[in-house]
């Protein structure tokens, strides 16, 4: 009897490798007897009669039925292998199995057809309680993260997570509950309860947030959507005795209740070093209509276009923008405004040190825009090509932007004119290092231009680390 084994791959992360499969790499046929039957299976139609899952403990079978159902639609042996491989990736994506092995065999028994196949998934469930320790890179800050997880709590891929993070500028802990829709992992609900304490030295400000949120994620056509409600009790205070009077005025307690919606379209082939594709992300936030004493409408967007040129070089263009409109005649809060400048946005300027300021403390603005043009190339002479060297890129950049407050009694032409005044810009070159597919490091030589009174600049070498770059 012929038996086909699909080689086990290492467990994949939540958003892991592509699902493409090369049948020659995945299949080995240890037994050559019954060659005529093997020829039939490989070249003619087959029927998948049974799909079995072995090794289940607390996982509910109905959850897995959605993930493996496509295997029944396979029409030949190669198709069976491909669909089984894809089903394996879907099972690993659930985050509830440590290992998943696939066994394809000819059908046996009274109801067995001459061209019938049985597919068996042998799974090993993750422990009921797992722990983790890692480091995390944010926008020009780093954190140590400790976590405890209870995966697959009720047998349908639910997850309860407790996480503690201690960083250079922020300390937080929180409890979250994650629940996907069976058969549609991209549609999921997340509930969060958290406390975050952060320091913002550019504003001589410290902030403590205690809050809860509910977040619904779902795809719609080519777009991905996130609907979120957040209620947060905010406590603002001065980070130093030298804090300006404008910052001291903002100190105290406030309650924000906000609804937000984010839509994104992402066709890039990589989030860190894309060589083709585009990204469009639009976010709207409305605060005050569900309670709280913060009332505003906030809109911002992000656009990125990438084009491969010659000799593995890539031209990338980015544009950011946003506007905050206070509602009810109340002034905006320093914690809700936009900030601009630094190694992750307009390079050559200090971190968030562009725009309105008072006595050296940067207060943020209610409107901004920023644009960037990059030329990425491989390292000169291509050292480490095909290995470690591919984690690096050289880049030449041109950045520009502005941050200001608007008089909403004036018309849109006056607003555009204000945003076009006092444009800060910079140019330079540097080296970029990719950290996995979630973050990157930059070491740049920057030349800031269009510097305005009160701006803090970084003329020369500037280092940056983060997950979102202009």
């Amino acid at each position: 009897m012929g038996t086909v084994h699909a080689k086990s791959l290492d467990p994949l992360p939540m958003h892991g490798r592509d699902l493409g499969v090369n049948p020659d790499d995945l299949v080995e046929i240890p037994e050559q007897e019954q060659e005529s039957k093997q020829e039939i299976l490989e070249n003619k139609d087959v029927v998948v009669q049974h799909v079995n899952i072995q090794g289940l403990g607390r996982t509910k079978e109905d959850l897995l039925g959605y993930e493996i159902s496509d295997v029944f639609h396979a029409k030949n042996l190669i198709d069976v292998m491909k669909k089984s491989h894809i089903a394996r990736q879907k099972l690993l994506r659930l985050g509830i199995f440590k290992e998943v092995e696939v066994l394809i065999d000819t059908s046996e028994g009274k109801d067995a057809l001459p061209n019938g196949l049985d597919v068996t998934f042998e799974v090993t469930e993750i422990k009921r309680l797992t722990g983790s320790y890692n480091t995390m890179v944010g926008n020009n800050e780093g954190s140590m993260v400790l976590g405890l997880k209870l995966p697959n709590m009720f047998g349908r891929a639910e997850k309860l997570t407790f996480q503690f993070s201690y960083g250079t500028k922020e300390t937080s802990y929180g409890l979250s509950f994650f629940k996907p829709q069976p058969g549609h992992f991209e549609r999921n609900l997340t509930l969060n309860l958290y406390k975050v304490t952060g320091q913002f030295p550019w504003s001589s400000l410290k902030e403590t947030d205690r809050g809860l949120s509910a977040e619904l994620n779902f795809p719609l056509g080519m777009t991905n959507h996130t609907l979120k409600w957040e209620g947060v009790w905010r406590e603002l205070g001065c980070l130093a005795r030298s804090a300006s009077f404008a910052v001291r005025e903002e100190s105290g307690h406030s309650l924000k209740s906000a609804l937000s919606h984010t839509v994104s379209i992402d066709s890039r082939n990589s989030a860190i070093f894309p060589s083709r594709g585009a990204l469009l992300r639009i976010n709207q936030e409305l605060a005050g209509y569900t309670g709280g004493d913060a009332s505003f409408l906030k809109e911002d967007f992000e656009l990125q276009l990438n084009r491969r040129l010659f000799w593995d070089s890539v031209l990338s263009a980015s544009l950011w923008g946003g506007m905050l409109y206070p509602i009810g005649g109340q002034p905006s809060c320093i914690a809700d405004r936009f900030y601009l400048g630094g190694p992750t946005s307009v390079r050559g300027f200090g971190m968030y040190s562009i725009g309105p300021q008072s006595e050296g403390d940067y207060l943020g603005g209610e409107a901004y825009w920023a644009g960037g043009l990059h030329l990425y190339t491989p390292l000169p002479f291509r050292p480490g090509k095909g290995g470690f060297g591919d984690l690096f890129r050289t880049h030449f950049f041109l950045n520009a932007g502005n941050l200001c407050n608007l008089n909403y009694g004036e018309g849109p032409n006056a607003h555009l004119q204000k945003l076009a005044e006092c444009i800060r810009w910079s140019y330079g070159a540097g080296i970029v290092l990719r950290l996995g597919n979630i973050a990157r490091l930059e070491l740049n030589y920057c030349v800031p231009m269009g510097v305005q009174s009160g701006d803090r600049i970084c003329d020369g070498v500037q280092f940056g680390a983060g997950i979102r770059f202009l």
Side-chain angles (χ1 to χ4, degrees):
M1 178 184 304
T3 302
V4 177
H5 295 273
K7 289 183 180 178
S8 172
L9 301 177
D10 292 335
L12 301 181
M14 199 70 71
H15 302 286
R17 306 170 188 169
D18 294 336
L19 301 182
V21 54
N22 184 345
D24 295 335
D25 294 337
L26 291 176
V27 180
E28 55 183 41
I29 305 178
E31 300 179 14
Q32 299 300 327
E33 49 202 54
Q34 296 186 353
E35 294 182 2
S36 60
K37 188 165 187 177
Q38 289 294 335
E39 184 179 352
I40 292 175
L41 294 179
E42 291 179 2
N43 299 310
K44 295 187 178 181
D45 291 346
V46 299
V47 176
V48 177
Q49 293 190 262
H50 306 99
V51 176
N52 306 306
I53 301 180
Q54 298 178 356
L56 294 182
R58 60 186 185 277
T59 305
K60 308 297 184 184
E61 291 188 8
D62 60 308
L63 169 71
L64 307 182
Y66 297 101
E67 312 298 337
I68 64 175
S69 58
D70 281 350
V71 176
F72 285 103
H73 301 148
K75 299 300 182 183
N76 56 60
L77 181 61
I78 302 301
D79 199 22
V80 171
M81 291 158 45
K82 288 182 179 180
K83 292 186 182 299
S84 298
H85 177 72
I86 293 174
R88 178 180 181 273
Q89 310 309 309
K90 290 182 177 180
L91 293 176
L92 288 170
R93 182 183 62 171
L94 294 175
I96 61 178
F97 298 122
K98 183 179 179 181
E99 295 179 356
V100 177
E101 302 280 351
V102 184
L103 175 66
I104 303 173
D105 200 353
T106 52
S107 295
E108 296 180 345
K110 296 181 180 180
D111 61 343
L113 299 175
N115 60 343
L117 294 178
D118 289 348
V119 179
T120 301
F121 293 90
E122 298 178 351
V123 302
T124 303
E125 293 184 337
I126 291 178
K127 296 178 181 179
R128 292 183 180 272
L129 177 64
T130 63
S132 62
Y133 165 78
N134 51 53
T135 56
M136 183 172 61
V137 177
N139 284 327
N140 231 37
E141 62 177 303
S143 302
M144 176 191 70
V145 182
L146 301 174
L148 289 175
K149 296 181 182 179
L150 279 73
N152 207 17
M153 278 190 69
F154 305 117
R156 291 187 172 87
E158 305 88 354
K159 179 171 61 178
L160 185 68
T161 304
F162 174 80
Q163 185 168 285
F164 171 77
S165 172
Y166 180 80
T168 54
K169 297 185 180 73
E170 184 176 280
T171 300
S172 67
Y173 56 85
L175 187 68
S176 67
F177 177 75
F178 173 83
K179 168 65 177 176
Q181 178 181 341
H184 300 278
F185 189 79
E186 299 83 3
R187 301 176 188 171
N188 53 72
L189 174 69
T190 304
L191 305 176
N192 296 293
L193 184 66
Y194 61 88
K195 178 183 178 181
V196 181
T197 300
Q199 297 181 356
F200 310 99
W202 48 84
S203 301
S204 297
L205 182 74
K206 62 180 178 180
E207 178 179 355
T208 300
D209 293 348
R210 303 170 181 87
L212 53 92
S213 66
E215 185 176 307
L216 179 66
N217 298 283
F218 59 94
L220 187 62
M222 296 177 58
T223 63
N224 290 300
H225 295 257
T226 299
L227 292 174
K228 183 178 180 180
W229 171 82
E230 182 179 36
V232 55
W233 168 26
R234 304 184 295 189
E235 181 182 356
L236 304 181
C238 297
L239 189 59
R241 293 183 178 181
S242 59
S244 65
F245 182 72
V247 173
R248 294 178 185 276
E249 279 188 317
E250 299 275 0
S251 299
H253 298 264
S254 65
L255 184 64
K256 184 179 85 167
S257 176
L259 296 169
S260 64
H261 170 249
T262 302
V263 57
S264 63
I265 305 175
D266 192 353
S267 62
R268 299 173 300 172
N269 61 336
S270 170
I272 304 301
F273 284 162
S275 59
R276 67 177 189 276
L279 166 70
L280 174 62
R281 181 181 292 113
I282 302 173
N283 181 73
Q284 306 95 27
E285 182 180 4
L286 177 63
Y289 276 77
T290 54
D293 50 21
S295 297
F296 61 84
L297 175 63
K298 190 176 183 179
E299 301 266 352
D300 64 280
F301 73 90
E302 176 182 358
L303 175 65
Q304 183 185 105
L305 303 174
N306 302 280
R307 179 70 179 269
R308 183 188 292 274
L309 303 177
F310 48 85
W311 298 328
D312 290 335
S313 60
V314 176
L315 184 66
S316 178
S318 299
L319 180 64
W320 298 353
M323 184 176 294
L324 185 150
Y325 179 74
I327 298 174
Q330 298 183 19
S332 60
C333 175
I334 190 173
D336 296 319
R337 298 179 195 136
F338 299 105
Y339 290 82
L340 188 64
T344 61
S345 57
V346 182
R347 297 162 179 83
F349 290 81
M351 195 70 179
Y352 300 141
S353 62
I354 290 177
Q357 55 96 20
S358 174
E359 303 175 33
D361 293 333
Y362 295 91
L363 308 177
E366 294 176 352
Y368 87 103
W369 69 270
L373 190 64
H374 293 258
L375 177 63
Y376 295 98
T377 65
L379 292 176
F381 309 111
R382 306 295 295 269
K385 182 179 179 182
F388 185 71
D390 289 344
L391 300 177
F392 292 86
R393 292 286 189 279
T394 57
H395 77 136
F396 304 89
F397 63 86
L398 174 65
N399 296 153
N402 193 14
L403 175 77
C404 60
N405 291 316
L406 302 178
N407 183 351
Y408 289 102
E410 300 174 345
N413 290 335
H415 296 166
L416 292 175
Q417 183 177 356
K418 184 105 181 250
L419 286 167
E421 295 174 350
C422 306
I423 295 177
R424 286 81 162 176
W425 61 284
S426 65
Y427 64 92
I431 298 177
V432 185
L433 168 64
R434 174 171 61 88
L435 300 177
N437 202 35
I438 58 172
R440 77 190 211 185
L441 306 179
E442 288 190 5
L443 184 64
N444 299 317
Y445 186 87
C446 309
V447 181
M449 306 292 289
V451 180
Q452 303 298 314
S453 176
D455 292 346
R456 188 178 297 133
I457 65 172
C458 183
D459 189 359
V461 177
Q462 187 178 39
F463 174 78
I467 56 177
R468 181 175 180 254
F469 282 81
L470 179 65

